[in-house]
Amino acid sequence: MAIIAKNLSKNYGKKQVLHDISFEIPEQPTIVGLIGPNGVGKSTMLRLLAGVLIPTDGEILNDKVKETYYKWACVHSTFVPSGERGLIYRLTTIENLRYFASFKGINLHKAEKVLRSLAESLDFSELLDKKFQELSTGQKKKAAILVGASLETSVLLLDEPSNGLDINAQDDLARFIVKLKDLYHKMIFVSSHDTQMLSGVVNCYLFFKNGQIVKQVNHHFSEEELIRTYQNVYR
């Protein structure tokens, strides 16, 4: 599938956050990096792609389906927000998975099997039955990402996934994201300021500035190339 945005704009009341955005992400297992300073519309773009928000103007299309993108995205995409807001505090990670899987009509036994398998990649297996509220900041982030990935939706949207993780956990996360793409052929969108993580996993970049996409790059960057391009775009 390809995801296509056409003349997309989003207002919050009188404030316009995104301005006439157009892009196309081609059909392939792809990891898309959303790049830019805080406040340029990256998180809003993720929420639009997740079907959580509806654009003020323009549209998003999935070239493989006839139904509206937003109806499709509610079932076939998963959004993992930044911070510690991703899961229900009083539930364990496994209980959270069952809760969110039930909304999407996903087989609970299969989803739990995927979760237990993926948890090994992030050194999280022993924490699956611990309540979300009892986890550390970094553990909460891992739990939210694992639940999102285990739902096996076609599109996975990660907002600042490496925040709160130590250096070793950041390296594990980068390998984990690539594994998801390769094994499950997902389209993954990642909004982050972590140039090391981005350069290790991303093969398509969208650079946001003042609520618009000012540059799209459809190939890998080394960390040095990414930093240099960032500086050129935002100087």
Side-chain angles (χ1 to χ4, degrees):
M1 76 182 171
I3 291 182
I4 304 160
K6 291 185 175 181
N7 306 114
L8 200 66
S9 296
K10 179 61 183 177
N11 296 1
Y12 294 121
K14 296 182 178 179
K15 181 180 180 181
Q16 189 168 10
V17 179
L18 296 178
H19 309 262
D20 195 30
I21 283 178
S22 296
F23 62 82
E24 180 173 347
I25 307 300
E27 180 178 6
Q28 58 177 311
T30 302
I31 301 176
V32 183
L34 277 61
I35 311 298
N38 292 329
V40 296
K42 302 188 302 297
S43 294
T44 295
M45 187 71 246
L46 289 180
R47 286 177 168 86
L48 288 168
L49 289 165
V52 176
L53 296 177
I54 304 296
T56 305
D57 291 300
E59 61 182 343
I60 304 176
L61 303 171
N62 174 347
D63 68 338
K64 298 295 186 184
V65 299
K66 294 182 179 180
E67 63 185 333
T68 62
Y69 175 84
Y70 310 100
K71 183 177 180 181
W72 176 87
C74 287
V75 176
H76 298 284
S77 73
T78 302
F79 174 58
V80 181
S82 60
E84 301 178 7
R85 300 169 293 168
L87 301 180
I88 299 171
Y89 267 57
R90 67 180 182 275
L91 301 181
T92 68
T93 301
I94 289 179
E95 290 169 342
N96 267 286
L97 174 68
R98 293 169 182 159
Y99 176 81
F100 288 105
S102 66
F103 278 111
K104 293 183 181 291
I106 295 170
N107 182 285
L108 300 185
H109 177 74
K110 181 182 178 183
E112 185 173 330
K113 185 177 179 180
V114 172
L115 174 65
R116 292 188 182 279
S117 176
L118 291 178
E120 296 179 6
S121 301
L122 290 182
D123 193 25
F124 198 83
S125 297
E126 295 182 0
L127 298 172
L128 288 175
D129 293 310
K130 194 172 183 179
K131 289 185 178 180
F132 188 67
Q133 63 190 7
E134 299 171 349
L135 300 174
S136 69
T137 297
Q139 290 168 347
K140 286 186 175 81
K141 175 59 69 173
K142 285 184 178 182
I145 293 169
L146 283 166
V147 169
S150 299
L151 295 174
E152 292 193 286
T153 53
S154 300
V155 178
L156 179 63
L157 304 129
L158 304 176
D159 196 1
E160 299 292 349
S162 61
N163 278 7
L165 301 182
D166 59 35
I167 293 175
N168 288 335
Q170 289 173 1
D171 290 341
D172 290 342
L173 174 63
R175 288 190 291 270
F176 180 74
I177 291 173
V178 172
K179 177 180 179 179
L180 291 177
K181 173 183 73 81
D182 292 340
L183 288 182
Y184 299 102
H185 301 288
K186 290 179 181 290
M187 185 176 288
I188 303 172
F189 289 81
V190 182
S191 172
S192 179
H193 300 291
D194 185 344
T195 56
Q196 181 177 357
M197 188 270 290
L198 289 169
S199 61
V201 304
V202 168
N203 53 12
C204 176
Y205 292 89
L206 300 176
F207 289 83
F208 285 72
K209 185 176 184 180
N210 299 324
Q212 296 179 305
I213 293 177
V214 294
K215 190 178 186 68
Q216 179 172 347
V217 178
N218 296 318
H219 58 73
H220 288 283
F221 273 141
S222 68
E223 186 175 12
E224 293 76 13
E225 290 171 330
L226 176 56
I227 291 172
R228 185 166 58 250
T229 301
Y230 186 97
Q231 292 171 338
N232 288 336
V233 171
Y234 302 107
R235 64 184 173 185

